[in-house]
Amino acid sequence: MFDIAQVHAAPSADLLTPDNSVMLFIDHQPQMFFGTGSGDRAAIINSTVGLAKAARAFDVPAVLTTVAAESFSGPLLPQLAAVFPGQKAVDRTSMNAWEDEALVEAVRATGRKKIVLSGLWTEVCLVLPALSALAQGYEVYVVTDASGGVSPAAHEHALQRMLAAGAVPVTWVQVLLELQRDWARSETYGAVMEIVKEHAGAYGLGVVYAQTVIGAHAAG
């Protein structure tokens, strides 16, 4: 029940923060990209790397996973691996990452309840762990532009299935700015602006313009 006396300036518990979330990157691999047809593959790569850099900037734990890396799908996307140097991806055989004990343990070890999920393909390697994690009480946020399916219909129908089960659709820039949430948060402001300039297209160019014309501390 709404009580106006309880209204005050405070964030919703539904918001992603650096302390309540973990990012799970599923199967961003060459063979998976070859079969992706739901959107521009270069754009998906750009969004994935931007999302990964957001995790790094805010010290959000990131779990990387591959499927059949040596026998079929190839190595983790090099641009993604470069964001987390020295971190080994969890390789598995199951199409459903949530059926792999090592992967689940890596997520569980973070102690975080909100999973920011991205991967290839949406209709298989994304929807299966999303439904499985939701069934076990996790909150799942699906990064739609850092994910892709074999066709637009496959991607969209998988998203609809996840949303019907309780997942929340987000984009990588949305995640980045939700983690920042206050332009006065100076400890991460510079890193956020660099990520935006490198990966956020026209928004990034706008930041370049603003910082040139207005000043180095122009808000994003």
Side-chain angles (χ1 to χ4, degrees):
M1 180 179 292
F2 175 70
D3 182 358
I4 198 167
Q6 298 300 316
V7 175
H8 60 289
S12 166
D14 288 335
L15 296 181
L16 296 167
T17 74
D19 300 318
N20 68 14
S21 54
V22 53
M23 294 197 191
L24 177 53
F25 294 86
I26 298 181
D27 306 347
H28 292 92
Q29 300 166 261
Q31 186 65 258
M32 308 307 292
F33 274 107
F34 294 158
T36 297
S38 61
D40 181 74
R41 285 172 285 190
I44 296 172
I45 291 172
N46 177 70
S47 297
T48 300
V49 177
L51 181 66
K53 290 182 178 179
R56 184 178 65 185
F58 289 92
D59 292 323
V60 174
V63 179
L64 314 173
T65 183
T66 55
V67 61
E70 295 185 4
S71 61
F72 180 74
S73 301
L76 189 70
L77 178 69
Q79 299 95 313
L80 176 57
V83 179
F84 306 106
Q87 181 171 338
K88 186 176 181 181
V90 178
D91 193 47
R92 51 177 222 288
T93 59
S94 171
M95 285 183 278
N96 181 6
W98 210 259
E99 293 181 43
D100 185 271
E101 185 58 41
L103 183 282
V104 174
E105 177 53 35
V107 174
R108 187 166 51 209
T110 69
R112 312 296 179 86
K113 187 179 180 181
K114 296 179 185 291
I115 300 176
V116 180
L117 187 66
S118 63
L120 307 175
W121 296 317
T122 321
E123 68 272 25
V124 184
C125 298
L126 206 61
V127 69
L128 299 182
L131 296 177
S132 301
L134 285 165
Q136 294 183 14
Y138 280 90
E139 299 171 28
V140 175
Y141 298 75
V142 182
V143 189
T144 59
D145 54 356
S147 306
V150 300
S151 68
H155 180 69
E156 183 59 33
H157 294 165
L159 289 176
Q160 290 176 3
R161 185 179 181 189
M162 289 184 278
L163 270 53
V168 179
V170 293
T171 63
W172 83 265
V173 170
Q174 180 181 349
V175 172
L176 173 70
L177 299 185
E178 193 164 322
L179 292 173
Q180 176 68 21
R181 215 171 66 236
D182 188 339
W183 293 122
R185 188 167 289 147
S186 59
E187 63 270 21
T188 50
Y189 176 85
V192 168
M193 289 296 96
E194 289 306 309
I195 295 169
V196 165
K197 286 189 286 187
E198 187 173 0
H199 296 283
Y203 173 28
L205 288 177
V207 171
V208 171
Y209 174 82
Q211 291 184 338
T212 301
V213 176
I214 301 173
H217 297 290

